[in-house]
Amino acid sequence: PTVILLDLRMPHMDGFETLVHLQREWPEVAVIILTTFDEDALLARAMRAGVRGYLVKDTDRETLLAAIRVAARGEMLLQPAQLARLMLRHDPATPTADLTPREIEVLACVAHGERNKEIARSLGISERSVKAHLESIFLKLQVDSRAAAVAFATQQGWI
């Protein structure tokens, strides 16, 4: 297979144990976690284990298909809210503590390559609000562009 959808809770062997076996036997196969457990600790553990996506079972069909396509290309797909939660978990002493949860979501969308219009649509806010959040992010991180903000977040290990 090119892509495997894997649940975390299964009888006889949990998803993480299965993931280890899959990666040992077929390291080229992309794995997407598809589970009912939308927990930050499980999400972080799955990302550290090298999965290409983490989706909850009530994910809509379009998102599931997009995740499969992205994983098949060898890329990773995380929802902006998931990326934001991972960034917040990293270290409360880092400057992310100065960013609001919405600013972190916007930064996660920027890191995902979304344009202002796409960010506005995915977060349910106006493009004007996206621009305001970006200005605030730039000011707080002391950067002057989207690329610099993403680079800074990457250097800090947030993404």
Side-chain angles (χ1 to χ4, degrees), residues 88-124:
L88 279 173
R89 274 181 56 88
H90 182 68
D91 182 357
T94 64
T96 56
D98 294 337
L99 297 179
T100 67
R102 179 62 85 184
E103 289 168 345
I104 292 171
E105 287 180 321
V106 169
L107 183 56
C109 290
V110 169
H112 196 275
E114 294 182 28
R115 296 171 302 175
N116 288 1
K117 188 175 196 172
E118 295 166 326
I119 296 169
R121 186 177 34 246
S122 68
L123 298 180

Side-chain angles (χ1 to χ4, degrees), residues 45-64:
R45 184 175 173 198
M47 293 299 102
R48 284 192 304 274
V51 301
R52 298 291 182 183
Y54 189 99
L55 300 171
V56 291
K57 288 185 179 179
D58 64 355
T59 296
D60 62 80
R61 182 181 193 155
E62 292 78 29
T63 302
L64 177 60

Side-chain angles (χ1 to χ4, degrees), residues 22-36:
L22 287 170
Q23 289 174 331
R24 187 175 344 126
E25 296 294 323
W26 300 288
E28 70 284 353
V29 174
V31 177
I32 298 173
I33 299 296
L34 184 62
T35 185
T36 57

Side-chain angles (χ1 to χ4, degrees), residues 116-134:
N116 288 1
K117 188 175 196 172
E118 295 166 326
I119 296 169
R121 186 177 34 246
S122 68
L123 298 180
I125 59 177
S126 70
E127 283 186 67
R128 179 180 234 157
S129 293
V130 171
K131 289 177 185 175
H133 287 305
L134 285 170

Side-chain angles (χ1 to χ4, degrees), residues 5-9 16 31-47 51-57 59 63-64 67 76-79 82 85-86:
L5 300 177
L6 179 65
D7 198 349
L8 291 178
R9 310 285 180 181
F16 288 109
V31 177
I32 298 173
I33 299 296
L34 184 62
T35 185
T36 57
F37 303 97
D38 191 16
E39 300 172 14
D40 292 352
L42 293 174
L43 171 62
R45 184 175 173 198
M47 293 299 102
V51 301
R52 298 291 182 183
Y54 189 99
L55 300 171
V56 291
K57 288 185 179 179
T59 296
T63 302
L64 177 60
M76 180 185 297
L77 177 67
L78 282 179
Q79 300 300 311
Q82 291 174 324
R85 289 188 346 242
L86 284 175

